[in-house]
Amino acid sequence: MAEILNVTPDLNLRVPGPTPLPPEVRAALAQPMIGHRSAAFRELHREVTRGVAEVLRTANDTLILTASGTGGMEAAIANTLAPGDVVLSVSIGNFGQRFRAIAEAYGAKIITLDYPWGAAAEPDDVAAALSTRGDVKAVLVTHNETSTGVTNPLEAIAHAVKSTRPDPPLLIVDAVSSAACVPLETDAWGLDVVVTGSQKGWMIPPGLAFVAVSPAAWAALSADTPRFYFDFKAARRSLVADQTPWTPAVNLFYGLVAALRLIRRTGIEERWRQHARVAAHVRSRVGEMGLELVADPRFASDTVSAVRAPADLDVDNFRRRLLDEHGVLVAGGQGPLRGAIFRVGHMGYLVEDEIDAALDAIARTLG
Ligand SMILES: *Cc1c(COP(=O)(O)O)cnc(C)c1O
């Protein structure tokens, strides 16, 4: 099988998504297929919807879409924004740019708030940008910027957005690489639309996007943006019957049940603590190697570390050697950081020995 699929045996997968799968999840994924309109699937759908909402800390409707994270982001935009709507797009890196590009594709008028790659957004700047514009319908923000390894101070940003005016703009959050790994309080922080993707923090393969939709977001749905597959109203009509409108990726739901049971065993706070502990360890090993992070250290991510390569390092060749000689796969840089950094993922299913093995291999390969 491994040969047919050309899968590297014992790959130490340290990219920021897809991430490794726990044995319980792999076993669940291999179960026989069932009909997606069966009572068994409805039961599965009920359990995972409840579990995902629990992890996102929300009582809001939580939709499970068969799509990658970007599909969830597009769904958020297509349902909340109409052409001509004014949007404040806060970007600290590649994924902030992607969210903006989606809004642009749907005809939004964009006000930009950009930061140098490696920095986090300043809540005061968000408040200032909103104070001069009463017509902003929504704010787009990335919780954890995977291209730079920076986690935005989302709670403070949410506070800035929600205290601007009596009917504040919607806050739409890309939580693709943060949810299930770092503290994220959808309801307590007042987040209106939270989007995440299965292959990052959730310990299952790519293919599902989760979107939590607040009552304010439901009330603000745009009527005149064309959409069909990703129509939230269709998803909600099905949700009340424990269904999805279209055929879902059924076996990913099996995997998700197994992953959510693992999360429930320790509780989500313990997973947040584990990610913080492992990330601190990764950062300290990177420091011992004499290397620096891209991130402002105050906002360094607990799910991915973006490491500046030594000036004379050929990053592509380094990554190839890590893979060929040690079976470790790390990511390169994106956009302007291509060739200048490498990124080590530590999100989802964390086996601390494997992370140490990857760090040892990095240290040895750097010489
Ligand atoms: C991975 C990622 C995405 C995109 O997800 P896909 O599943 O690749 O479509 C979006 N935002 C962030 C922050 C990500 O890390």
Side-chain angles (χ1 to χ4, degrees), residues 38-39 70 79 94 96 99 108 114 116 127 169 179 212 217 255 257 267 269 284 302 305 315 327 333-334 348 352 358:
S38 62
T70 305
N79 282 274
N94 187 59
F99 221 173
D114 286 337
V257 161
E269 286 96 344
S284 111
D302 285 344
S305 293
V315 174
Q334 295 175 307
E352 298 184 26

Side-chain angles (χ1 to χ4, degrees), residues 16 68-71 73 95 98 142 144-146 174 176-177 199-200:
S68 83
T70 305
M73 293 159 78
F95 290 100
R98 183 178 299 181
T142 316
N144 184 79
E145 179 50 73
T146 316
D174 169 357
V176 175
S177 64
Q199 82 277 20
K200 302 282 172 87

